[in-house]
Amino acid sequence: MFSDWSLLNALIWVPIAGALVVMTAGAGRPGLARGLSLLTAIVTLALCVPLWQGFDTSSAAMQFEGAVPWIRALNIHYHLGVDGISMPLVVLTALITVVTVIAAWNVKKRVHQFLAAFLILEAMMIGVFVALDAMLFYIFFEAMLIPMFIIIGLWGGPNRVYATIKFFLYTFLGSVFMLVGLIYLYLKSGTFELAQWWSLPLSMTEQTWLFVAFLLAFAVKIPMVPVHTWLPDAHVEAPTAGSVVLAAIMLKVGGYGFIRFSMPITPDASREMALFVIALSLIAITYIGLVAMVQKDMKKLIAYSSISHMGFVTLGLFVSFILLAKGGNVEMALDGAMVQMISHGFISAALFLGVGVLYDRLHSRQIKDYGGVANTMPWFAAFFVFFAMANSGLPGTSGFVGEFLVIVSSFQGSFWFAFFAGLSLILGAAYSLWMVKRVIFGEVKSDAVANLKDMSAREFFVMAVLAVAVLLLGVWPEPLVDVMRPSIQHLIDLISVTKAGGV
Amino acid sequence: MLDKNILLVIAMAPLAAAVVAGLFGRKIGRTGAHLVTIAAVALSFVLSARILWAFVQGQAEPFNENLYTWMVAGDLRMHVGFLVDSLTAVMMAVVTFVSLMVHVYTIGYMHDDPGYQRFFSYISLFTFAMLMLVMSNNFLQLFFGWEAVGLVSYLLIGFWFKKESAIFANLKAFLVNRVGDFGFLLGIAAIVMAFGTLDYVEVFQHAESVVGKTISIFPGTQWQLITFICIALFIGAMGKSAQAPLHVWLPDSMEGPTPISALIHAATMVTAGIFMVARMSPLFELSEAALSFVMLTGAFTAFFMGLVGLVQNDIKRVIAYSTLSQLGYMTVALGVSAYNAAIFHLMTHAFFKALLFLGAGSVIIALHHKQDMKAMGGLRKYMPVTFLTMWIGTLALVGFPGFSGFFSKDIIIEATHESHRFGAGLAYAATLLGVLITALYSFRLMYLVFYGPERMDAHARAHVKESPWVVTLPLIMLAIPSVVIGWLAIEPMLFGDFFKGVIVVRPEHDVVAEIGEYQFHSPAQFVLHGFTGWPFWLMLLGLALTSYIYLRRPQVTERLKKTFAPLYRLLRNKYYFDEFYQKVFVRGAVRLGETLWQWLDQKLIDGVLVNGTARLVGRFSAAIRGWQTGYLYHYALTMVLAVVVLVAFYIF
């Protein structure tokens, strides 16, 4: 029934349709808006079941593929499809959206608009992951900003205007350069088909310029040092649900962009610039780890921790070029980067939700306002310690898998890659557990803490879902890696060729 | 003989019990929680004991099988699986037995604690983590167990999470262990690079192939790859087995409830590093340099940490420093290629050290959770069972001939004496003098606690009584092996072929075999021989000194403190390791983080680059806004001027 691309279409259009219904029917009726949103999110997630089941894990080809011409004059197509790299990200998006809608249950202000924005956001994010036409990708990529802009701008904290403008301009500035790159590639090839660009010969100069253009867009998005400072501000001002989606999915678009654009379209330039990107990644892991340690605001701390963890993604992606040259386990590095993206989606979502649970009760994100939360909220404390441990890469949780694969494989590139990446073992534990010590443990800090109520059933459920995901992926990552394998191998084929020679 | 399902039950039963007690603790109640965890650990113990027996009888073949494929990444296949051979069997039996005793004991010790169920859940989980560690057949799962015991120790040391000192200690323990794990992970990464596999057996089979290969870490220098691997792995062992300078977490771990101290110090966690090196003997045997490093680290720890034990007044801390020192002995044994002696001492130590800790706990309960030995004394008539069993533990610890500790420690000292490794002379001196130190702090503890005047306050004295049977039974059960295990195990473990093919020692390194050839004939003869050796006389000297000081002239201690004031201060402050780490690493990292954040992130990137750009654009627009005056003649003038310029441009 879903052998064609109607499934992917449904994944994009069901949330949009749901959002429209929520907007119209849910106005002034928050209960209905919540119910309809949850229904939409669950239906979308349910659509992922046939997607996962119908997915042929032995093939690197795009699946559930389909295309119709969209703007004939420019040869732009509405072209969708998934492979082993995008499919898990689609599922992650659908899952996190359900979590977000449940987490946003107690938002009081303009509920229908708030939830509709998330459904639109979901559609845009899924669109980014399934678009095979570069212009379509770009449109989703930019359109994604709008709902998030509105979410932070309308439902955010006191300094939300600064944060939203910073967020918007930062990301927009980056992606404008990508647009120039896309137009250049179109002029050169006469098409916006990604797959054709992968085999398009490009001189070294062309590749270098294109690489820089893509790097600007994706480095801001993921984000990499030194273009990361929008993220902590955006997180601090965003409402809980906004932070969850931002950290869990929107950052991954940056990593996905590297995989889809930079690496296969400009492999020679990537090879040339690999050491540069690796250096930035290692700086992100260590420098940002240190910065995370001294944060006084829990959300800022987790935001910095996200940047540090995304350093593993870029390290894994670009160390693969070094490994290709030196002869190392390339697949391991790329697997590590991918698993890290998925895993961080669960863990960062849970941590931001945790801060949200506290914020809802005490209206503070400052570490100093807490202390001894375990006394009054034992279940919450258990979850928070668990996710903090996952965040510091404890084996048996998903946080370990990606870091382990990336560290072990980058050792084959250079001892020092592994050395600096490995420091996160100490730094990650230091900032995560020091926060736990000050927030969760200790004597009850104040009357406010003494009066805290433990998690509601709704909050418990959301945390439990994420905890199960983190454990499953940590104990048995093979099913995920199995889905990705042919596509990763295909990616290795794409990045191990030289395109500059033929020109 | 060995069945996969039985092994699964051994490992999983404590996990299942931990989950039940942890998640449903309130439903099943206190009794339910201790029943389910004790039943699970008892089951694991019985099955482990059967496996050990089968190996002792020589009826069991090593079991090596994968359970499932964790992940395949390129040509690297990562599995979860079990390797159970004689070494594993010893560890499993020791771990589950001591854990079982600790479980029973906990019923009494934690009787009034509101976190009763949570505690049982944790200690059961600890048992699971340790079993996964010792039963693993690959480095991945080893690392899982390695970190999992770190996690549970974190939870247990911080069990009383309201206590500031406890939550400081557990964070410290976890972070110091993470420093070790960092080295360990680099070692694993090097193994993957060198061998392309994480499987023990495959790595050992090809161990020789890396001899001669080098790795360049600093440009221009070449290190032997095998030495790098071994030292990196050993750094992990230094964290877990608390070898200097990564030992600082262990004394602080006393902040947890006493049963935990017994579990951490005797059976789980600290034994992990010793076990790991013994398991990796095929690798360590290839690097003399790494072995020397191991030996000297152990010698340093054995001697210097023992000294600190002399000046502690907290009963648990004395025993904690004794653990550090004894772990040093085991590490020395590893370093002189006497891996089997290290495991042997690990086993005897597990029994008598668990006994000592639980005995100390029994004293602590009797005195209502007071731990200062200055406020004890004369307890022998109130607590006969604790008193007697503590004596047994002490005699085993000081190595009195015939007690279990004698066999294992004497062998280590002898082996170090025989060894020709670089620095072996130093290690020999350290281990020998360590005997005197051990005797001093051990007898001091006994005298301060059980003899002399009763120094507790009147209220405490009125309530002192022997502990209930759930506490004394484990003491007795641990006292028995503390006496007999040496007699039974020395021949098969050290001179027999119990570890044949499991622990690999190159013939030219095999000091234990040399001892077996020339000095050892039977346990009884070995005991008799023990009465003539240096260690025995040093131990007697320690006994004489402490008896004189603590039974006859207690004021001598004050005079000694004054005479050796600088040394006393140095020892009281534990060589200032903590202060140094706190100042340099902890505060250094925080200050570095602050600086980077405020100067780079906030001032440079945000202040200058981001907001600076915005300001620049703003100022630029403000400036050019002035041109938009709205006066027609301004625009007309501009147009004329532009036309002039353009025309001029075209003409010239």
Side-chain angles (χ1 to χ4, degrees):
Chain A
M1 143 187 178
F2 286 120
S3 58
D4 58 359
W5 66 322
S6 55
L7 188 57
L8 295 183
N9 269 315
L11 278 163
I12 295 175
W13 294 101
V14 165
I16 291 180
L20 293 176
V21 174
V22 170
M23 279 290 274
T24 47
R29 281 179 287 185
L32 184 67
R34 290 189 190 110
L36 284 173
S37 306
L38 184 59
L39 182 70
T40 311
I42 288 176
V43 169
T44 313
L45 181 61
L47 289 172
C48 292
V49 175
L51 182 72
W52 188 285
Q53 282 184 336
F55 190 85
D56 178 4
T57 58
S58 63
S59 160
M62 288 296 165
Q63 304 183 31
F64 301 96
E65 195 182 357
V68 288
W70 182 23
I71 304 174
R72 282 180 203 276
L74 293 173
N75 201 10
I76 297 174
H77 291 79
Y78 177 79
H79 183 181
L80 310 178
V82 288
D83 67 353
I85 290 168
S86 50
M87 203 272 279
L89 290 166
V90 171
V91 178
L92 177 72
T93 308
L95 177 69
I96 292 295
T97 304
V98 174
V99 166
T100 318
V101 170
I102 301 175
W105 214 249
N106 56 358
V107 169
K108 300 280 183 302
K109 188 175 138 193
R110 302 196 223 175
V111 179
H112 61 295
Q113 294 175 357
F114 188 68
L115 292 171
F118 278 99
L119 293 175
I120 299 279
L121 189 55
E122 177 183 25
M124 298 303 117
M125 292 185 300
I126 291 179
V128 158
F129 293 133
V130 301
L132 296 181
D133 181 286
M135 197 39 76
L136 187 65
F137 172 90
Y138 183 77
I139 288 165
F140 282 126
F141 189 85
E142 296 290 38
M144 209 165 58
L145 293 179
I146 299 165
M148 188 48 91
F149 181 82
I150 295 171
I151 288 167
I152 302 177
L154 283 182
W155 288 271
N159 199 15
R160 56 182 184 259
V161 176
Y162 172 75
T164 34
I165 291 181
K166 195 172 178 183
F167 160 69
F168 196 87
L169 287 184
Y170 236 123
T171 33
F172 196 69
L173 190 74
S175 50
V176 164
F177 289 101
M178 173 167 74
L179 181 62
V180 175
L182 299 185
I183 292 171
Y184 181 84
L185 282 164
Y186 167 71
L187 293 175
K188 175 113 187 173
S189 65
T191 174
F192 278 107
E193 279 298 318
L194 263 179
Q196 292 192 30
W197 288 358
W198 294 340
S199 51
L200 181 71
L202 292 165
S203 74
M204 198 61 209
T205 320
E206 287 172 310
Q207 284 196 34
T208 308
W209 282 106
L210 287 167
F211 180 84
V212 171
F214 291 138
L215 181 67
L216 283 169
F218 303 131
V220 169
K221 201 86 182 175
I222 199 166
M224 291 174 74
V225 177
V227 288
H228 63 279
T229 56
W230 63 271
L231 187 75
D233 283 317
H235 269 306
V236 167
E237 299 306 326
T240 300
S243 281
V244 169
V245 173
L246 187 59
I249 305 161
M250 285 183 78
L251 303 188
K252 275 71 199 182
V253 175
Y256 179 74
F258 281 121
I259 294 176
R260 279 285 189 259
F261 288 82
S262 311
M263 295 169 67
I265 295 176
T266 61
D268 302 289
S270 303
R271 205 169 297 129
E272 287 290 309
M273 306 284 263
L275 270 178
F276 172 69
V277 181
I278 289 170
L280 288 181
S281 312
L282 295 174
I283 290 172
I285 294 169
T286 50
Y287 157 81
I288 296 294
L290 284 165
V291 171
M293 209 161 62
V294 299
Q295 296 307 309
K296 293 161 185 73
D297 180 309
M298 286 189 266
K299 265 193 159 179
K300 264 202 170 156
L301 193 153
I302 301 168
Y304 275 111
S305 145
S306 291
I307 304 168
S308 181
H309 281 97
M310 287 302 104
F312 278 97
V313 176
T314 46
L315 174 61
L317 292 179
F318 282 87
V319 90
S320 63
F321 289 99
I322 308 283
L323 297 183
L324 274 172
K326 279 183 96 168
N329 197 336
V330 188
E331 207 175 318
M332 192 172 185
L334 295 172
D335 281 345
M338 275 303 294
V339 174
Q340 177 78 348
M341 289 211 277
I342 304 287
S343 155
H344 181 260
F346 299 136
I347 296 169
S348 64
L351 286 173
F352 278 118
L353 284 170
V355 176
V357 166
L358 290 178
Y359 186 81
D360 285 347
R361 287 161 174 72
L362 265 183
H363 300 286
S364 167
R365 296 178 310 260
Q366 299 303 313
I367 292 173
K368 68 171 165 48
D369 292 339
Y370 293 88
V373 169
N375 294 291
T376 41
M377 303 175 73
W379 281 110
F380 173 77
F383 276 117
F384 205 72
V385 171
F386 172 78
F387 287 114
M389 279 290 174
N391 199 42
S392 42
L394 189 82
T397 68
S398 62
F400 165 72
V401 185
E403 292 185 18
F404 176 76
L405 297 177
V406 172
I407 292 172
V408 169
S409 57
S410 60
F411 189 93
Q412 298 162 12
S414 157
F415 165 80
W416 291 107
F417 297 167
F419 180 88
F420 285 111
L423 282 178
S424 82
L425 227 61
I426 302 164
L427 290 172
Y431 61 69
S432 304
L433 298 181
W434 193 25
M435 174 173 71
V436 165
K437 172 179 180 280
R438 289 175 293 170
V439 172
I440 302 292
F441 296 142
E443 286 284 358
V444 172
K445 172 94 174 211
S446 61
D447 291 346
V449 173
N451 293 324
L452 284 176
K453 290 253 173 315
D454 209 342
M455 292 196 289
S456 65
R458 172 180 63 83
E459 289 163 335
F460 185 94
F461 172 75
V462 175
M463 290 294 229
V465 167
L466 291 172
V468 169
V470 165
L471 273 179
L472 276 181
L473 187 53
V475 173
W476 197 29
E478 176 62 17
L480 172 64
V481 176
D482 185 50
V483 166
M484 304 183 317
R485 189 165 293 119
S487 301
I488 297 258
Q489 272 155 0
H490 181 55
L491 178 65
I492 295 174
D493 294 340
L494 290 175
I495 64 173
S496 44
V497 298
T498 172
K499 290 169 137 193
V503 181
Chain B
M1 163 63 212
L2 291 183
D3 184 78
K4 183 155 84 178
N5 293 323
I6 290 181
L7 295 177
L8 263 177
V9 169
I10 292 175
M12 292 300 146
L15 174 66
V19 171
V20 170
L23 295 183
F24 309 106
R26 215 169 292 170
K27 286 212 182 76
I28 58 175
R30 294 174 154 242
T31 318
H34 75 230
L35 281 183
V36 67
T37 49
I38 288 176
V41 175
L43 178 65
S44 292
F45 166 65
V46 171
L47 295 174
S48 301
R50 279 187 47 190
I51 290 175
L52 178 62
W53 185 242
F55 276 105
V56 170
Q57 299 280 299
Q59 291 165 346
E61 285 297 308
F63 173 96
N64 183 10
E65 215 172 285
N66 294 323
L67 293 173
Y68 69 93
T69 304
W70 187 71
M71 182 198 283
V72 181
D75 48 12
L76 181 65
R77 306 183 70 84
M78 294 171 265
H79 303 281
V80 171
F82 293 144
L83 169 64
V84 178
D85 53 22
S86 50
L87 176 61
T88 318
V90 170
M91 292 299 295
M92 286 162 66
V94 170
V95 168
T96 50
F97 177 69
V98 175
S99 172
L100 180 61
M101 292 303 116
V102 169
H103 272 75
V104 174
Y105 179 91
T106 300
I107 300 176
Y109 194 88
M110 300 297 281
H111 188 259
D112 304 320
D113 200 284
Y116 193 79
Q117 290 96 317
R118 186 163 58 94
F119 193 82
F120 274 99
S121 169
Y122 288 173
I123 52 178
S124 230
L125 191 64
F126 214 156
T127 314
F128 159 73
M130 196 63 198
L131 285 170
M132 287 302 276
L133 192 159
V134 298
M135 292 167 76
S136 165
N137 71 351
N138 64 79
F139 287 91
L140 177 80
Q141 189 182 333
L142 176 69
F143 193 68
F144 167 80
W146 200 257
E147 291 253 296
V149 293
L151 163 76
V152 196
S153 70
Y154 169 81
L155 295 173
L156 281 167
I157 295 169
F159 181 77
W160 285 317
F161 56 78
K162 287 183 200 176
K163 228 167 94 184
E164 186 58 34
S165 58
I167 58 178
F168 176 79
N170 77 341
L171 182 61
K172 178 173 166 184
F174 197 83
L175 291 183
V176 172
N177 268 291
R178 268 289 167 106
V179 175
D181 297 354
F182 166 63
F184 196 56
L185 184 58
L186 290 181
I188 292 177
I191 283 174
V192 171
M193 183 177 80
F195 300 100
T197 176
L198 286 165
D199 193 272
Y200 289 163
V201 174
E202 284 176 44
V203 170
F204 297 158
Q205 271 169 1
H206 301 106
E208 307 260 352
S209 70
V210 294
V211 175
K213 280 192 192 162
T214 56
I215 177 171
S216 177
I217 290 175
F218 298 101
T221 59
Q222 295 287 322
W223 289 20
Q224 290 294 321
L225 182 57
I226 187 74
T227 301
F228 174 85
I229 291 175
C230 290
I231 289 184
L233 291 177
F234 180 66
I235 288 172
M238 286 165 71
K240 282 282 168 301
S241 291
Q243 295 298 298
L246 295 183
H247 64 281
V248 289
W249 64 271
L250 192 122
D252 282 21
S253 73
M254 294 299 106
E255 293 298 335
T258 306
I260 281 324
S261 312
L263 201 53
I264 289 181
H265 287 238
T268 59
M269 186 103 177
V270 296
T271 58
I274 308 296
F275 161 77
M276 187 272 291
V277 177
R279 172 59 84 206
M280 300 307 149
S281 60
L283 298 178
F284 278 83
E285 276 301 288
L286 298 173
S287 173
E288 289 265 352
L291 284 172
S292 262
F293 179 70
V294 171
M295 181 190 67
L296 289 172
T297 308
F300 181 88
T301 310
F303 182 76
F304 286 99
M305 294 306 139
L307 278 180
V308 179
L310 287 175
V311 300
Q312 298 294 318
N313 288 324
D314 182 316
I315 182 171
K316 278 171 73 181
R317 281 187 188 257
V318 176
I319 310 179
Y321 279 98
S322 140
T323 304
L324 286 175
S325 172
Q326 297 306 308
L327 287 166
Y329 275 94
M330 296 176 214
T331 308
V332 169
L334 296 170
V336 297
S337 296
Y339 307 97
N340 45 5
I343 295 295
F344 185 40
H345 195 51
L346 183 160
M347 179 177 74
T348 61
H349 177 259
F351 296 126
F352 65 72
K353 188 48 66 69
L355 170 58
L356 285 172
F357 262 117
L358 297 184
S362 173
V363 170
I364 293 170
I365 312 175
L367 295 174
H368 298 278
H369 295 270
K370 293 273 182 332
Q371 309 189 358
D372 188 355
M373 295 194 298
K374 290 262 164 81
M376 296 181 184
L379 287 177
R380 67 180 187 278
K381 61 173 182 262
Y382 300 104
M383 314 180 70
V385 181
T386 307
F387 171 64
L388 280 176
T389 49
M390 281 286 273
W391 256 120
I392 292 174
T394 301
L395 290 175
L397 171 61
V398 298
F400 193 89
F403 287 84
S404 63
F406 157 76
F407 292 96
S408 52
K409 200 188 285 180
D410 233 36
I411 287 289
I412 292 177
I413 296 169
E414 281 301 318
T416 314
H417 190 48
E418 295 289 329
S419 175
H420 306 295
R421 192 138 288 148
F422 174 77
L426 215 58
Y428 178 60
T431 48
L432 206 52
L433 282 176
V435 173
L436 174 63
I437 297 165
T438 310
L440 288 174
Y441 65 66
S442 304
F443 293 128
R444 171 177 175 261
L445 183 148
M446 288 306 288
Y447 288 142
L448 279 176
V449 174
F450 292 104
Y451 294 82
E454 298 169 11
R455 293 180 298 272
M456 48 277 198
D457 55 49
H459 172 78
R461 186 174 316 148
H463 289 87
V464 170
K465 58 170 193 293
E466 183 59 279
S467 302
W469 71 269
V470 283
V471 170
T472 50
L473 178 72
L475 296 181
I476 296 165
M477 295 296 288
L478 286 163
I480 296 168
S482 296
V483 178
V484 302
I485 196 76
W487 295 88
L488 301 176
I490 187 166
E491 267 194 290
M493 276 179 87
L494 294 184
F495 308 115
D497 53 5
F498 186 67
F499 285 135
K500 196 171 176 204
V502 175
I503 286 174
V504 176
V505 185
R506 310 187 121 211
E508 67 269 26
H509 292 169
D510 202 346
V511 283
V512 175
E514 256 172 71
I515 297 170
E517 215 167 308
Y518 301 112
Q519 298 177 26
F520 182 88
H521 305 294
S522 72
Q525 168 270 331
F526 193 68
V527 169
L528 282 179
H529 178 73
F531 284 107
T532 63
W534 271 108
F536 177 69
W537 295 105
L538 284 168
M539 191 264 295
L540 273 193
L541 176 64
L543 179 64
L545 280 173
T546 45
S547 305
Y548 175 73
I549 293 173
Y550 290 97
L551 296 183
R552 304 256 167 226
R553 300 210 190 280
Q555 63 274 28
V556 171
T557 55
E558 290 307 316
R559 219 180 313 143
L560 284 173
K561 271 182 214 167
K562 287 214 185 80
T563 322
F564 299 101
L567 178 67
Y568 179 70
R569 248 196 327 273
L570 184 68
L571 293 179
R572 281 299 292 177
N573 287 296
K574 304 157 281 184
Y575 310 110
Y576 298 97
F577 270 108
D578 283 329
E579 286 73 11
F580 178 74
Y581 289 167
Q582 193 69 26
K583 278 219 176 80
V584 176
F585 294 117
V586 177
R587 244 174 268 161
V590 169
R591 210 164 289 164
L592 186 59
E594 294 271 4
T595 315
L596 292 175
W597 180 42
Q598 281 168 5
W599 287 93
L600 279 181
D601 256 43
Q602 296 200 318
K603 294 226 164 81
L604 181 68
I605 298 177
D606 261 6
V608 178
L609 297 179
V610 178
N611 297 341
T613 311
R615 262 198 304 277
L616 204 66
V617 172
R619 255 183 237 152
F620 181 67
S621 338
I624 59 171
R625 195 171 55 194
W627 303 352
Q628 319 287 322
T629 55
Y631 295 116
L632 199 59
Y633 56 90
H634 281 174
Y635 296 140
L637 182 66
T638 314
M639 281 164 70
V640 171
L641 282 176
V643 169
V644 170
V645 170
L646 280 176
V647 169
F649 183 76
Y650 274 104
I651 292 175
F652 303 106

